[in-house]
Amino acid sequence: MLITLRDKKTIRWQLLLTVQKQTIITMMKNSRRDFLQKLAASAMTMPVLSSYGAFSKLDLYPPSYQGPTLRVALMGLGGYASRVAAAMQDCKRAKITGLISGTPSKIKDWRAKYDIPEKNCYNYENFDNVKDNPDIDAVYVITPNALHHEHVIRVAQAGKHAICEKPMAINAKEGQDMVDACAKANVKLLVGYRMHFEPKTLEVVRMRTEGELGNIKFFQGLCGFRIGDPNQWRLDKALAGGGALMDIGIYAINGARYMVGEEPVWVTAQETKTDNVKFKEGVDETILFQLGFPSGALASCLSTYNMNYLDRFFLNGENGFAELQPSTGYGPIKGRTNKGELSQPHITHQTLQMDEMAGIILDDNKPIVPVDGLEGLKDLKIIDAIYQACATGNRQELQL
Ligand code: NAD
């Protein structure tokens, strides 16, 4: 049987609807009042409410969606931007309307591929001129980590919303500047935390939030891969801001927070390095870190550029557990809990992310797990503290 593009879109919509239905059915079963009463009954679960709020609906759009779309310029046409651009072809609410690159040949190729008019294309010297371009609502910054600070601040000053890749910046001081610049310009700042919209991840968050796992005791996050080319920007402190922790370990930091549902209050960390040539001063190869949460829950995490097959989250509660493996790769994510296999559908992460981010920017929707600049800033504060803990050997107190 021949499956047309239209059929595929309808199937995808039905899958999305299934996720939404599951969320709604669960919400109906546990009415909001019951849910809030349960939360209020337990002081330990209060951080769930303050950190993540009550569940909002998943914002999903039918194939026939005709409403407003978020018009996005992509900045930094490298590997990840290529993935985002391809995924955005299936978006209902977000579309690519502009390009920012320092390489004219890339602009030429991307213009042809994505049908972008020349007047919506910029380079790193003149992209401030997006302020006069009514075809662009937001700029998605997908450049090396150390450039996010300058790029996001210039986007904000041009009066456009900023979506910024992770890590939002290379330290909390820079992150705070970006949050302040966006607040001053009255534009939104969102971080490209695609896992915050991923259906299996959200099912575990739902189970934990609704008490199905009981009081959370422990989280384990293992994040890493063996990095190749020693000359890439990821191994250059000036552009990367650090090493594996900035790039991949951040998933364990962020995951610990949304899986446990609390903000950590302390961190300890230990660093090891087996290759001082590839991993120069300030570029971490492997870091183990531990987080302590107000309830007494603990997290134990590994961040590395020196091991493959390392993409696992494990959450342990008094009444159950959840395991995701792979947990943060491009998917499909796989997972199981004490109740069985997770069966939520795989949806291309960046398609879902950009449709959801359009809803956040255009309709002020509140995501189940936040993706705003303050969320990015909290992760940067933890990163700063982990590096400090490695350098001093001392436990660092956290105030997020
Ligand atoms: P990349 O090297 O493939 O692309 C980076 C782009 O930035 C290139 O097009 C490059 O030309 C451009 N650039 C602009 N100024 C530059 C400069 N001074 N030096 C070097 N490059 C410059 O990298 P990538 O993998 O696309 O990563 C870009 C960002 O996206 C990083 O912040 C990374 O952490 C993030 N990322 C996120 C995910 C995710 O799953 N959310 C995945 C991969 C990368």
Side-chain angles (χ1 to χ4, degrees), residues 51-114:
S51 298
Y52 300 129
F55 275 81
S56 63
K57 67 185 173 65
L58 279 175
D59 281 296
L60 306 168
Y61 306 97
S64 58
Y65 175 77
Q66 296 288 328
T69 53
L70 183 74
R71 295 157 311 163
V72 181
L74 297 182
M75 178 193 292
L77 308 182
Y80 192 61
S82 302
R83 187 176 285 275
V84 169
M88 283 182 70
Q89 301 315 298
D90 283 332
C91 281
K92 296 289 165 299
R93 292 211 67 182
K95 67 176 180 184
I96 307 169
T97 56
L99 301 170
I100 301 167
S101 169
T103 313
S105 60
K106 277 194 206 167
I107 293 271
K108 184 166 173 271
D109 293 349
W110 282 56
R111 274 194 58 207
K113 194 167 179 186
Y114 296 114

Side-chain angles (χ1 to χ4, degrees), residues 126-197:
N126 68 11
F127 76 79
D128 311 84
N129 294 336
V130 292
K131 71 174 183 300
D132 300 318
N133 193 328
D135 295 346
I136 295 170
D137 304 310
V139 176
Y140 193 164
V141 174
I142 318 183
T143 50
N145 309 342
L147 307 179
H148 296 173
H149 177 251
E150 179 201 325
H151 290 158
V152 164
I153 290 174
R154 285 172 63 189
V155 167
Q157 287 170 347
K160 303 294 177 177
H161 301 290
I163 303 171
C164 179
E165 254 319 311
K166 43 60 55 179
M168 191 175 88
I170 57 170
N171 56 50
K173 153 93 186 59
E174 289 197 351
Q176 186 68 60
D177 293 345
M178 293 156 76
V179 167
D180 293 346
C182 290
K184 188 171 172 201
N186 201 22
V187 295
K188 288 204 163 104
L189 169 57
L190 306 182
V191 186
Y193 286 137
R194 60 189 161 77
M195 301 316 298
H196 293 204
F197 306 102

Side-chain angles (χ1 to χ4, degrees), residues 218-225 243-256 267-273 284-291 299-314 327-328 386 390:
F218 179 70
F219 170 80
Q220 184 190 44
L222 306 178
C223 297
F225 63 94
L245 189 66
M246 287 283 174
D247 191 35
I248 189 81
I250 190 169
Y251 286 98
I253 295 171
N254 192 248
V267 61
T268 49
Q270 307 82 36
E271 180 176 6
T272 67
K273 202 176 270 194
D284 49 287
E285 176 190 317
T286 300
I287 293 179
L288 277 164
F289 61 92
Q290 303 78 35
L291 299 164
S300 171
C301 303
L302 175 61
S303 158
T304 183
Y305 265 160
N306 198 23
M307 292 172 224
N308 281 332
Y309 315 111
L310 210 57
D311 182 3
R312 181 173 192 266
F313 282 3
F314 175 74
S327 57
T328 64
I386 290 174
C390 288

